[in-house]
Amino acid sequence: MSWLTVLPVPQPRVEIDRRAAARAIAATPVVGVLLGGLATGLAAVLTLSQLPSIVVGLLVVGALGLMTRGMHIDGLADTVDGLGCYGPPERAREVMHSGGVGPFGAAALVVVLVVQATGVGALAESHEWSAIVVAVALGRLAVLIACRRGLPAATGGFGALVADSQRLSIVVWTVLALVGAAAVDIDVWWRGVATVGVILAGAWVVSAHCARRFGGINGDVLGAVLELGTTVAVVGFLI
């Protein structure tokens, strides 16, 4: 909670080594459920005000960005900018760490945030509260896929702590995700199952490509797959 949110919780009293970081990554979906619940509560309150659904969605997505320090959307922009440049992995990482947002990153932010906002607004308008909670949590499942065993870390940074660290947690959370996604609309249970499948496959492909392009996984890639996974979940529950 202290790492992935701005919630006022005590800071860790122990050194954050690779083992502790791997355990934190394994618990990422728990944070997703909590954030999804807070986002859903905000959406429910906003719908009482008769605001247009797009405004409700924008406010909820903005609140999620505030609650996570904006680090996931920052990671998305940096990752897309890195993928859009030419040169060796060192050059791509240099672009990612430059601090600015290039045209590729800006375009990715616009598309992802607009889709999330309009989608969350539509789900709120239809009172699909469980879909919002599960969508936010499913984005965190994508992070586990990006940290799977066999996927190396980029040189230094946070990726060195968490890359190549997850195996059993992926199995456990995938089963729970399938159950939760199917329960969103039990009459069309296959929709949720298919959505989880697309998120898993997408996170696998994107993280593998980023590992090749950047010479390993870093924190920006984790933020990118998280935001993309959340976006896919929102779209999937709207179909």
Side-chain angles (χ1 to χ4, degrees), residues 9-22:
V9 296
Q11 295 295 311
R13 296 176 178 270
V14 297
E15 180 183 357
I16 305 301
D17 54 13
R18 180 171 169 80
R19 181 181 179 186

Side-chain angles (χ1 to χ4, degrees), residues 14-35:
V14 297
E15 180 183 357
I16 305 301
D17 54 13
R18 180 171 169 80
R19 181 181 179 186
R23 283 160 45 195
I25 284 289
T28 300
V30 176
V31 180
V33 172
L34 173 62
L35 292 175

Side-chain angles (χ1 to χ4, degrees), residues 69-96:
R69 299 185 183 90
M71 60 181 174
H72 305 318
I73 56 177
D74 177 69
L76 171 65
D78 289 343
T79 298
V80 175
D81 279 334
L83 291 174
C85 78
Y86 292 101
E90 294 78 12
R91 171 57 182 162
R93 293 197 300 269
E94 180 183 347
V95 169
M96 295 173 72

Side-chain angles (χ1 to χ4, degrees), residues 63-127:
L64 282 171
L66 289 175
M67 287 190 287
T68 57
R69 299 185 183 90
M71 60 181 174
H72 305 318
I73 56 177
D74 177 69
L76 171 65
D78 289 343
T79 298
V80 175
D81 279 334
L83 291 174
C85 78
Y86 292 101
E90 294 78 12
R91 171 57 182 162
R93 293 197 300 269
E94 180 183 347
V95 169
M96 295 173 72
H97 299 151
S98 64
V101 178
F104 292 110
L109 287 178
V110 169
V111 173
V112 166
L113 295 179
V114 168
V115 171
Q116 286 186 12
T118 54
V120 168
L123 292 172
E125 188 175 36
S126 302
H127 292 182

Side-chain angles (χ1 to χ4, degrees), residues 150-162:
L151 210 58
T155 305
F158 181 73
L161 286 176
V162 298

Side-chain angles (χ1 to χ4, degrees), residues 180-205:
V184 167
D185 187 353
I186 197 67
D187 293 329
V188 198
W189 60 268
W190 55 266
R191 178 183 62 174
V193 172
T195 298
V196 173
V198 172
I199 291 172
L200 293 175
W204 190 285
V205 171

